[in-house]
């Protein structure tokens, strides 16, 4: 899957964290698996619109958590060493205050209605056979993870499904904001203490894929609303 990194711009000294956040999202979305390599630092700097020093700072942060490892020599590059993202890394990148969770679920649901609903409808209009095949693969992974009670794998496959849905929409503007929504979604789900609805979520995702496959925008909205309502209730 080709992952579209977005320029981070001037962020008052937080550019390394912004770069790291997008790399984390790319890994969670399945664009880079453990053992694979990120683009070279020079290319990353160009795509993010930052200096190579800023990219190096981001890689240093991710390396501290064992997520990536720079390699030297002719076969050098930035190798992804794990694709399960520690919750404390997500919290570090989000820079949240201690009481952020009091409002996080409601705010995330509002953002998902504004961004993911129209994305899903566009996916129903524009999804290609390869897009649908990738979403099916994500759902297969979700189902197996649910049956094995493997929460890390379940969360990863869930995020990959939503990134695939956004990719199928063919809207670079909406997808740019979906990046931020998916980071929030990953953070909330990773630190939730008691999540009992994985089976229900898998079923709703299957219904969503069926609606996308038939191009039924009304059904897509209805099913997405069911998922969003679950987000509002931790």
């Amino acid at each position: 899957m080709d992952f579209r990194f977005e320029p981070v711009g001037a962020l008052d000294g937080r550019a390394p964290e912004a770069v790291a956040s997008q790399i984390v999202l790319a890994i969670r979305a399945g664009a880079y698996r453990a053992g694979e390599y990120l683009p070279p630092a020079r290319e990353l700097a160009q795509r993010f619109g930052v200096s190579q020093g800023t990219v190096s700072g981001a890689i240093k942060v991710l390396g501290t958590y064992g997520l990536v490892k720079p390699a030297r020599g002719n076969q050098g590059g930035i190798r992804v060493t794990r694709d399960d993202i520690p919750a404390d890394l997500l919290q570090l990148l989000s820079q949240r205050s201690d009481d952020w969770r009091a409002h996080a679920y409601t705010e995330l649901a509002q953002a998902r209605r504004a961004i993911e609903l129209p994305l899903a409808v566009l996916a129903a209009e524009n999804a290609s056979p390869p897009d649908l095949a990738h979403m099916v693969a994500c759902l297969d992974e979700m189902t197996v993870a649910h049956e094995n009670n493997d929460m890390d794998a379940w969360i990863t496959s869930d995020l990959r499904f939503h990134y695939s849905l956004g990719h199928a929409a063919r809207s670079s503007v909406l997808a740019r904001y979906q990046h931020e929504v998916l980071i929030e979604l990953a953070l909330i789900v990773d630190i939730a203490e008691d999540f009992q609805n994985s089976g229900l979520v898998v079923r709703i995702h299957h219904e969503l894929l069926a609606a996308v496959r038939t191009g039924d925008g009304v059904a897509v909205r209805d099913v997405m609303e069911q998922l969003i309502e679950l987000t509002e209730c931790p």
Side-chain angles (χ1 to χ4, degrees), residues 19 25 41 54 63 87 100 122 133 144 155 167 186 203-204 214 220 222:
V19 169
L25 181 57
T54 296
W100 74 274
L122 285 173
V144 171
I155 293 167
H167 185 268
R203 178 180 63 77
I204 296 175
T214 60
V220 166
D222 289 343

Side-chain angles (χ1 to χ4, degrees), residues 91 94-104 191:
Q91 292 182 63
S94 72
Q95 292 291 303
R96 295 287 187 175
S97 61
D98 291 339
D99 62 350
W100 74 274
R101 291 191 67 202
H103 308 288
I191 65 174

Side-chain angles (χ1 to χ4, degrees), residues 5-233:
F5 291 114
E6 299 292 338
V8 301
L11 295 169
D12 298 325
R14 293 211 64 222
E17 288 84 356
V19 169
S21 291
Q22 288 199 44
I23 293 174
V24 164
L25 181 57
I27 294 171
R28 290 307 297 268
Y32 302 100
R33 304 268 187 160
E36 297 180 346
Y37 286 81
L38 297 174
R42 178 175 296 181
E43 180 181 338
L44 287 174
Q46 292 174 345
R47 292 169 69 174
F48 285 118
V50 298
S51 68
Q52 289 193 54
T54 296
V55 171
S56 296
I59 297 304
K60 183 177 180 180
V61 170
L62 299 179
T64 300
Y65 289 84
L67 199 63
V68 300
K69 184 177 181 179
R72 300 183 181 277
N74 293 333
Q75 302 299 319
I78 306 168
R79 184 167 61 90
V80 177
T81 53
R82 60 186 293 189
D83 49 22
D84 57 313
I85 314 300
D88 51 352
L89 172 58
L90 291 173
Q91 292 182 63
L92 171 69
L93 295 176
S94 72
Q95 292 291 303
R96 295 287 187 175
S97 61
D98 291 339
D99 62 350
W100 74 274
R101 291 191 67 202
H103 308 288
Y105 288 96
T106 298
E107 291 180 359
L108 178 59
Q110 292 169 345
R112 296 187 76 185
R113 287 190 175 96
I115 296 167
E116 284 202 286
L117 270 178
L119 265 180
V121 172
L122 285 173
E125 298 175 1
N126 300 322
S128 66
D131 292 326
L132 294 171
H134 193 270
M135 283 186 270
V136 168
C138 293
L139 279 181
D140 288 344
E141 293 177 1
M142 286 181 69
T143 301
V144 171
H146 164 66
E147 292 172 349
N148 294 336
N149 199 29
D150 186 341
M151 206 61 189
D152 287 337
W154 188 92
I155 293 167
T156 299
S157 56
D158 183 25
L159 289 170
R160 287 172 181 162
F161 177 90
H162 285 279
Y163 183 80
S164 298
L165 190 70
H167 185 268
R170 305 293 190 272
S171 172
S172 59
V173 174
L174 284 174
R176 185 181 311 160
Y177 295 103
Q178 187 198 31
H179 291 324
E180 298 300 323
V181 172
L182 289 178
I183 288 174
E184 295 294 321
L185 184 63
L187 180 58
I188 289 175
V189 173
D190 270 339
I191 65 174
E193 296 179 356
D194 189 19
F195 191 85
Q196 301 294 332
N197 295 319
S198 60
L200 173 61
V201 173
V202 169
R203 178 180 63 77
I204 296 175
H205 276 73
H206 277 285
E207 294 176 0
L208 177 59
L209 177 57
V212 170
R213 193 189 297 273
T214 60
D216 187 341
V218 174
V220 166
R221 283 186 173 274
D222 289 343
V223 179
M224 273 300 302
E225 182 61 33
Q226 293 180 52
L227 285 176
I228 292 170
E229 287 176 357
L230 289 178
T231 305
E232 288 181 298
C233 301

